[in-house]
Amino acid sequence: MYFCGMKTRFHLIVLLVLSAFGCSTLHAQQKNTSSNNGKKVYLTPMCVYEGDTIPCVQLRTVYIFKPLKFKNRRARMRYNKLVRDVKKVLPIANEVNGIIIETYEYLQTLPPGERQKHIKRVEKGLKEQYMPRMKKLTFSQGKLLIKLVDRQTNSTGYELVKAFLGPFRAGFYQTFAALFGASLKKEYDPTGDDALTERVILMVQNGQI
């Protein structure tokens, strides 16, 4: 199962992209230092373009969306709540993706008989680390997290549980989630039902909101 992939993102209009004209990737940060005579100088990344050495600064991509029009005050409040929820649960989904990749890669180095023992240790550690944070999530934030895990890992929560803990445990957790109107099989749809969420995620990740 491919865990570290990502679903195809919704294609957006790019406002500014400054390329390095074939140069290798360079850091865009400037360093403030002092010369021998005490004057401040700034060290800027450089690259060679058409035979000349010039300063080279790479700007981030800026996403441009059609302005939102809210039917009423309640619709605007729902959007503001979505922004708050994304900012709260997206970091958790990113952490989950990192844990899955790390765990999967480490399991490949273990003999088959030791893998289940390691998974149990990881499961115990995750409960101890994340249970306090999960308790602070609202119901809507929990459902959003399930979707964002699918977005970040390219695998639904059900598929992940089944892969690591087996089909019986996956079925149990799916049944338990269904009692609260949620589903571990829920997939993220960036160009359909979750288009607005995808918009918010891209802007949050880019520091635009």
Side-chain angles (χ1 to χ4, degrees):
M1 182 179 294
Y2 179 65
F3 294 106
C4 59
M6 224 178 169
K7 285 191 180 291
T8 304
R9 289 186 171 184
F10 184 44
H11 295 293
L12 304 169
I13 300 176
V14 179
L15 173 64
L16 295 172
V17 179
L18 182 64
S19 65
F21 300 99
C23 298
S24 59
T25 302
L26 300 172
H27 294 290
Q29 296 179 346
Q30 292 181 330
K31 295 183 179 180
N32 187 350
T33 184
S34 299
S35 62
N36 293 332
N37 58 11
K39 294 183 179 180
K40 289 184 178 180
V41 296
Y42 292 89
L43 300 181
T44 304
M46 309 294 289
C47 66
V48 178
Y49 174 63
E50 294 184 354
D52 292 328
T53 302
I54 61 175
C56 180
V57 179
Q58 187 171 2
L59 301 179
R60 68 184 181 185
T61 299
V62 177
Y63 297 100
I64 303 299
F65 297 92
K66 183 179 179 180
L68 292 174
K69 294 183 179 180
F70 301 101
K71 294 181 179 180
N72 48 48
R73 181 172 176 270
R74 179 175 296 182
R76 178 179 291 276
M77 291 177 63
R78 284 198 299 266
Y79 173 76
N80 292 337
K81 182 179 183 301
L82 175 62
V83 173
R84 292 195 301 270
D85 289 348
V86 166
K87 289 183 176 181
K88 187 167 186 176
V89 305
L90 182 59
I92 300 176
N94 289 331
E95 291 174 22
V96 171
N97 185 41
I99 292 171
I100 290 171
I101 294 173
E102 181 180 353
T103 302
Y104 180 76
E105 291 178 347
Y106 183 69
L107 287 176
Q108 306 312 304
T109 67
L110 298 177
E114 295 294 323
R115 294 177 183 177
Q116 196 61 34
K117 294 180 181 179
H118 180 69
I119 289 176
K120 289 182 178 180
R121 289 194 295 268
V122 171
E123 184 181 11
K124 181 180 179 181
L126 289 176
K127 288 181 179 179
E128 294 175 352
Q129 180 179 356
Y130 285 95
M131 189 59 70
R133 295 171 67 180
M134 294 299 102
K135 289 181 178 180
K136 295 181 181 179
L137 297 181
T138 64
F139 178 67
S140 61
Q141 289 170 347
K143 294 179 69 174
L144 177 61
L145 179 58
I146 292 175
K147 280 194 171 185
L148 294 194
V149 166
D150 178 44
R151 180 186 188 272
Q152 300 305 96
T153 67
N154 199 32
S155 300
T156 65
Y158 179 84
E159 291 170 339
L160 294 174
V161 175
K162 183 179 179 180
F164 285 99
L165 303 180
F168 177 79
R169 298 283 290 280
F172 172 79
Y173 284 125
Q174 168 63 12
T175 301
F176 185 78
L179 295 176
F180 296 90
S183 174
L184 297 181
K185 296 182 179 181
K186 195 70 174 179
E187 295 184 355
Y188 186 76
D189 184 9
T191 60
D193 293 340
D194 301 308
L196 183 59
T197 301
E198 181 70 8
R199 166 177 173 156
V200 171
I201 290 174
L202 291 176
M203 296 183 73
V204 167
Q205 290 178 328
N206 209 35
Q208 292 179 239
I209 56 175

